[in-house]
Amino acid sequence: MSCLLSSLVFLLFFLSRSTPVLSISYNESSSNLCHADDSIALLEFRKSLIVDNATLPSQFCLNFDRVSDATRSWKEGSDCCEWDGVNCDHLTGYVVGLDLSCSTLKGGIESGSSLFQLHHLRSLNLAFNDFFPSPISSEFGRFSHLKYLNLSSSGFSGIVPLEIGQLSQLISLDLSFFEVNHYYYYYDYYTDPDNSDRYDYYYYKYMESYNPRLQMPNFKNIIQNLTELRELEVNHVDINSIMPHSLMNLTSLTSLQLRGCSLQGQFPNDILQLPHLQFLGVGNNSNLYTDSIKFNWSTPLETLSFDGCNFSGQLHDSLQQPQSLRIFIIENCHFSGVLPTWLWNITEAIFINGNYFTGELPSSVNKSRLSCLTTLDLWGNLLTGPLPAWLSDLPSLKSLDLSFNRFTGQLDEFITGNLRSNFSLTNLQLLMLRSNSLTGNVELNLFSKLKNLMALDLSNNGLSVTMTSSDTIDSSLWPSLKGLGLSSCGIRDFPDFLRFQEKLEMLDLSSNKIQGDSPKWLQDMGKYTLYYLNLSHNSLTGGFVYLHAWTKLQYIDLSSNMLRGPVPYPPLSTVLFFASRNLFTGEIPLPFRNLAKMQHLDLSHNRLSGEIPQWLGDFSNELSVLDLRSNNLHGFLPTTFPRRNSLRVLDLNGNQLEGPLPPAILRCKLLAVLDLGNNKLNGTFPLWLGALEELQVLVLRSNSFHGLLSSSTGNRWFTQLRILDLSNNYFIGMLPSKLLKNFEAMKTVGVRHDRMQYMMEEIAPSAVDMYGGSYYTDSITFTVKGFDLELEKILTILTAIDVSNNKFSGDIPESIGELVSMRWLNLSHNCFTGNIPPSLGNLNVLESLDLSSNQLVGQIPRDLVNLNYLESFNVSKNQLVGLIPQGMQFNSFGNDSYLGNPGLCGFPLSNKCEEDEAPESEALTEYDPTSDDMHEWEIILIGYGSGLICGLAAGYYMFIARSPLWLLRLIQAFRN
Ligand SMILES: *[C@@H]1O[C@H](CO)[C@@H](O)[C@H](O)[C@H]1NC(C)=O
Ligand SMILES: *[C@@H]1O[C@H](CO)[C@@H](O)[C@H](O)[C@H]1NC(C)=O
Ligand SMILES: *[C@@H]1O[C@H](CO)[C@@H](O)[C@H](O)[C@H]1NC(C)=O
């Protein structure tokens, strides 16, 4: 009962966000005809605007069923007090209230508009119309009786005039640009899931069309006189800075909303002292910071939202407990430390996801306090320990998200133990447990009590999930299920009940043990709804001929299976298609040509043959990644790239492509990774590629390129390059010093991501940029320490040059020592002569150096002893002489590093030098590579090697963002 009440209150509150809070009922009597002046003013005002049913704001209003053209009832000669949206004072007959929200009005409200002749207005609501790009006229300041003013989401732009500050009787001021607040979002989604799409459409369209935003640089001056204000809502108005104390005179405030106002500087703690404040929303101000937030729980605060602010520090326990706090949102801040006990006094929704909280959940809480809790979101923290029993005894809980933490214990015991006693999560809609350390054998049937389940994710724990079939359960289980994540759950068959899941939108069964053909009935699952399908890392052999029948599919991952035959072609809706590491044969199917929305196409590591189709260059303008690595394609590179294309990664390594590089590649202005290694390409070095300003990775290894590397480059060419692989070709001549000097990106050691950060990325992914940009989804083969190593990811930190197996000659340029971020350098199997340049000792982060099989002379420079990270070193087969440098990591290199240099002497070789010095003390310090910090790329390989991170495409963000929030969550989760 009390919960019902609470929800009701909330609903009312919610509606009050979007509607005139108070259309005050002034028109108690209709006996007075309205004043002729007012009537004329209204009609003129109406005439100055047009009604346009196509304006987007109505999309939002539709969701609340409030679209109406109020002005349709405005007829000359009738009593204007009777008109829709108009309210009159029953004593004086003056128009005192005007509510034209959601009336699909379009036009401008300039100074001199007849609107401003309605001098007696006390309430004015023009929200959700389209007055773009009209500024807010200073004449609004003339409504001296105004108590309620709502101009939100109506397209006003420019600077909010100071005159608004003269409205000293204002009780409510709303200039917000509407945004879907997370909590509302959940709320709405639950109450009416079908509306969520329109929400997003509305939101993004709005964002696009109404940038420039309103600005309020004079915020302090405007509000200073508005001491009666109870509601101040300026979401997405550009305010920039809030002076401490500037809000302190607004002691009547009950609702303050400053979301996304580009606030900077220190968060003024005194806001939390405002004595009547119930709703405080400060989220989405990433430059607003504090490391010592001070809550005051004696205020009537009910809703608090700080998500996406730069807040850190701990949430300290306090003697006082919050009494009225219902909704607490601090997601994606930087809070740390253990959870305060007062958290469990919050009664309705807790969002603390994406922070760095540690420690265990309390073993007991005051359950009656939590009997109305609907949302508990702890996603992406560092929480440990078992799931306490009270978690399964929250009767109102709709959403429980514990993903990406370090929770341990037997999940089956947690469930069955609680089933026996009191498993009362019957209202649960979202249960997300992905990526913890939970163990046990879990029968999905156990969850069958959760009739309202919409999303379940048990992925990446140590769970073994089974499903006992039974007719009754299969068909009636989870009628509302939209998302199911069972990655790494030891599953052997497609669970039978899936065939009844008509509304399924996301399915992740990756990294299981599913074998053989996919069953025919699979295509009935989510036929008109499925848009995410991940079956990667199983042992599937076929059966996906009907892939295109899922007409909503956008994200498809079939990689790392044993699928054979022709590549099944996906539906036109496909955005991301991963089918690498299968046994697909035949040509790239022609229907792929129609996939105009494709952003990421990965057919690498298959057995595709035939000619590489020319249409691959221009079938999708959105295409960002094209990966056909390791197939058997022949023919010439596509030359059809359109002038504006989005291509960032082109990987055709390991095919049979021939001919020279076509200059058409220069039209791919965004190209960052070009890997054409292991083909039959020929011609001279394509120096002109230097004109691609974003190019970071250029791999031409194992082709038939020949000739000189000309040194006459443009000045700003190749400045972003950090990986250059020209090995196994027929290049001759010098390694031009001038070319090397252009490699600006190799000259600075980038931000040294420390180990901790990568660990954090793995365990608290929300804390880092989820949308890529810092690393590429591309694999690249590199010969390190004698092994061909295929890196799953190319990181910004990896810098490497490999020109081995060519016919380069002359001295190794001294300037190579300027490329200080170099990690791998391979100049072996060439004809380099002269000394090893001592400048190589400047390459502080060098891990691998191979100079073998050249004609180098002289001594090995002692400077190389400074290379603390050097793990692999080879100078064999040269004509080097003298003492091998001793000490540090040089103690770890074996004979192989020096073979074929008869003139070398000293450890580890057996031939002693003539005047052998006593080994230095350094030489005694043992170098143990395993005890050293791991190198960053190794950490990354551990962290991400098995998973797959897709979509570095900028557009991918949009793709995600258009989905309902919980799906977005799932995708984020699935991508890790
Ligand atoms: C604030 O109110 C005072 C007194 O009513 C008035 O003199 C002053 O001009 C007002 N300030 C602003 C910014 O409107
Ligand atoms: C608050 O009000 C007091 C008294 O009216 C005034 O002296 C003070 O300047 C005001 N503070 C702000 C920040 O406007
Ligand atoms: C380069 O390859 C093309 C196609 O295989 C061939 O016709 C041409 O003769 C080759 N050019 C050279 C210089 O080898």
Side-chain angles (χ1 to χ4, degrees), residues 220 224 245-246 249:
K220 184 179 177 227
Q224 149 186 316
H245 314 307
S246 60
N249 276 1

Side-chain angles (χ1 to χ4, degrees), residues 162 165-166 221 224-225:
L162 211 51
Q166 292 165 5
N221 298 334
Q224 149 186 316
N225 264 7

